[in-house]
Amino acid sequence: MNKQLCVLASLSFTFNFIVSAQSLSGVFAKKYPIGAAVNSFMLKDSSIDSLFRLHFSSLTPDNEMKPEVTEPQEGTFHWKGADAIVAFAQKNHLKVRGHCLVWHQQTPEWFFLDKGKKASKKVLLQHMKEHIFAEVGRYKGKVYAWDVVNEAVSDNGKSIYRTESPWYQIAGKNYIAQAFRYAHQADPKAVLFYNDYNVFMPEKRMRVYFMLKELLKEGVPMQGIGIQGHWSLYRPTEKELRETLRLFASLGLKIQITEMDVSLYHWEKNERTMRTGEQIVWNDSIAKVQADRYAMFFHMFNEFPKVISGVTFWGVADNRTWLDHYPVEGRKNYPLLFDTLYREKPAFHAVIESQR
Ligand code: GLA
């Protein structure tokens, strides 16, 4: 029995249902890695293990490489979760996308302090350098790509930058370029990404574009943009997505779709209370609408074969998704390719079909 058939047999046994003979990573093998976000606990689950062996060629730790986990106190490192994920990837010949080194969230306060007082720019950048050297250095040669800076651009307002971020408040925009330089020094072969959400929205898109253009002009070692694919049944539209991919491709950057999930609900970040009561019933017709959206997205990626260099889903199956908790706690969502019992959804088949 070849490897794929062995995995299929064990999957059918595990779930007691027939799975199709199609493999996502197989279909994308000649194009780009297909990945999913995981944590080290999920990887102990034999169903997840089987799905990874059949369908994915890459993974991303959802939280275990973030600063609050890896360096909760200055110089005290916790690598257990990240090490387990990297070991799983190596055992199963999966690529690892590291996520994320510099972010305004999930970063412990000590980064911004110096002996209990607000740190100077020099001290903050030193903290950043040591953190990046420790983490990128540890996984050198094992993590092929990093989200170096996450979400540094503002959604609206006068400034391009997220001015409320403590990184920005202490170091100004310079921390962004420095983060890339340190990551490049720590592992010159790693592919370095700027990663952000809602970049299909025209206003945010232009802010990100100007920032990236400036960084490239300064010679900052940055090779790609991670477009967080926290999308929905409504947006981005085909036009919005095409314009976005075209714009970033024009900078000569690689594009990876990171954090992909397709919510049943509108993007509600600033409208949470308005829609809290709304509850969409999951049924065949909504599953078909979602599948059509996935088909549109992947057909669009096909239009940019030299530019798209990876797609990562933010989770594996609908039984575990952050969208059950955000932006409305306890509201069930069904954003991924596999259902709550790890079965292939219409969206899964739409993605496979988009590659024929
Ligand atoms: C953002 C971050 C991710 C994750 C998701 C929500 O997109 O980049 O690390 O926290 O939000 O799960």
Side-chain angles (χ1 to χ4, degrees):
M1 234 195 284
N2 67 25
K3 187 184 162 211
Q4 187 164 323
L5 284 177
C6 276
V7 177
L8 279 170
S10 71
L11 261 177
S12 298
F13 176 75
T14 312
F15 304 132
N16 202 18
F17 63 79
I18 306 297
V19 293
S20 79
Q22 292 161 319
S23 148
L24 264 186
S25 52
V27 166
F28 285 90
K30 293 209 171 107
K31 295 193 164 180
Y32 44 76
I34 285 282
V38 294
N39 62 48
S40 54
F41 302 101
M42 284 165 71
L43 297 179
K44 292 179 185 154
D45 176 340
S46 61
S47 309
I48 296 280
D49 182 280
S50 305
L51 277 186
F52 258 92
R53 280 187 286 141
L54 182 57
H55 289 301
F56 297 102
S57 47
S58 166
L59 55 66
T60 300
D62 59 6
N63 283 303
E64 286 157 296
M65 283 189 177
K66 288 176 179 166
E68 73 172 7
V69 178
T70 55
E71 197 176 1
Q73 282 113 34
E74 185 173 4
T76 304
F77 295 98
H78 290 179
W79 303 118
K80 205 170 158 214
D83 280 358
I85 291 172
V86 171
F88 177 90
Q90 294 208 306
K91 186 171 145 230
N92 292 293
H93 312 290
L94 305 166
K95 286 174 166 281
V96 183
R97 277 197 101 250
H99 172 84
C100 53
L101 299 169
V102 174
W103 192 22
H104 63 288
Q105 287 180 22
Q106 293 185 262
T107 301
E109 219 188 339
W110 69 260
F111 271 86
F112 310 104
L113 295 175
D114 182 14
K115 299 182 196 80
K117 297 216 174 90
K118 188 172 166 185
S120 63
K121 175 173 177 178
K122 192 165 166 233
V123 168
L124 176 62
L125 293 183
Q126 186 61 25
H127 287 163
M128 179 170 89
K129 180 178 181 183
E130 283 166 15
H131 178 76
I132 290 178
F133 271 49
E135 183 151 351
V136 176
R138 183 176 184 86
Y139 298 112
K140 189 172 175 177
K142 296 178 178 168
V143 169
Y144 85 104
W146 282 99
D147 287 331
V148 178
V149 177
N150 201 29
E151 304 177 355
V153 169
S154 74
D155 294 328
N156 42 44
K158 281 197 192 127
S159 172
I160 284 188
Y161 301 95
R162 185 183 289 281
T163 50
E164 77 278 14
S165 160
W167 289 105
Y168 186 89
Q169 289 188 353
I170 296 174
K173 66 179 182 178
N174 186 242
Y175 80 91
I176 302 166
Q178 280 307 106
F180 281 97
R181 292 191 185 109
Y182 295 146
H184 183 65
Q185 281 170 32
D187 183 357
K189 289 195 177 144
V191 192
L192 306 182
F193 285 82
Y194 173 73
N195 190 51
D196 213 331
Y197 63 88
N198 278 357
V199 299
F200 66 84
M201 292 188 178
E203 196 188 348
K204 178 100 178 240
R205 183 203 295 165
M206 290 320 290
R207 288 161 191 270
V208 174
Y209 173 78
F210 284 127
M211 181 189 79
L212 298 183
K213 200 171 169 189
E214 190 174 274
L215 289 170
L216 290 171
K217 206 169 138 208
E218 283 171 27
V220 170
M222 174 188 62
Q223 293 83 30
I225 171 165
I227 295 182
Q228 293 183 17
H230 295 304
W231 295 337
S232 76
L233 298 188
Y234 308 94
R235 287 181 84 183
T237 63
E238 198 170 341
K239 183 166 175 277
E240 284 172 331
L241 184 56
R242 185 176 288 111
E243 282 171 1
T244 303
L245 297 179
R246 242 184 226 154
L247 185 71
F248 292 116
S250 77
L251 287 173
L253 290 170
K254 290 288 178 204
I255 299 176
Q256 295 203 345
I257 309 302
T258 59
E259 311 191 21
M260 188 171 193
D261 44 21
V262 178
S263 169
L264 307 188
Y265 298 91
H266 288 274
W267 178 259
E268 302 152 307
K269 202 169 178 181
N270 305 313
E271 307 168 31
R272 255 177 264 181
T273 46
M274 251 168 70
R275 298 184 193 271
T276 303
E278 190 184 337
Q279 183 83 50
I280 294 174
V281 177
W282 178 250
N283 57 26
D284 289 352
S285 66
I286 203 122
K288 168 82 172 68
V289 175
Q290 185 186 53
D292 290 347
R293 293 286 288 159
Y294 265 108
M296 186 275 273
F297 296 143
F298 277 82
H299 279 297
M300 185 66 68
F301 305 157
N302 291 345
E303 289 184 22
F304 296 83
K306 298 211 172 91
V307 180
I308 303 281
S309 71
V311 174
T312 299
F313 297 93
W314 204 244
V316 176
D318 286 347
N319 60 338
R320 191 179 171 283
T321 163
W322 74 296
L323 293 171
D324 287 352
H325 310 285
Y326 185 90
V328 178
E329 177 56 48
R331 186 182 63 186
K332 184 75 198 118
N333 213 320
Y334 302 84
L336 296 161
L337 300 190
F338 298 93
D339 74 9
T340 54
L341 297 172
Y342 302 109
R343 290 172 305 196
E344 296 157 0
K345 291 167 58 183
F348 168 89
H349 295 287
V351 171
I352 298 270
E353 281 306 308
S354 69
Q355 304 308 306
R356 301 214 186 280

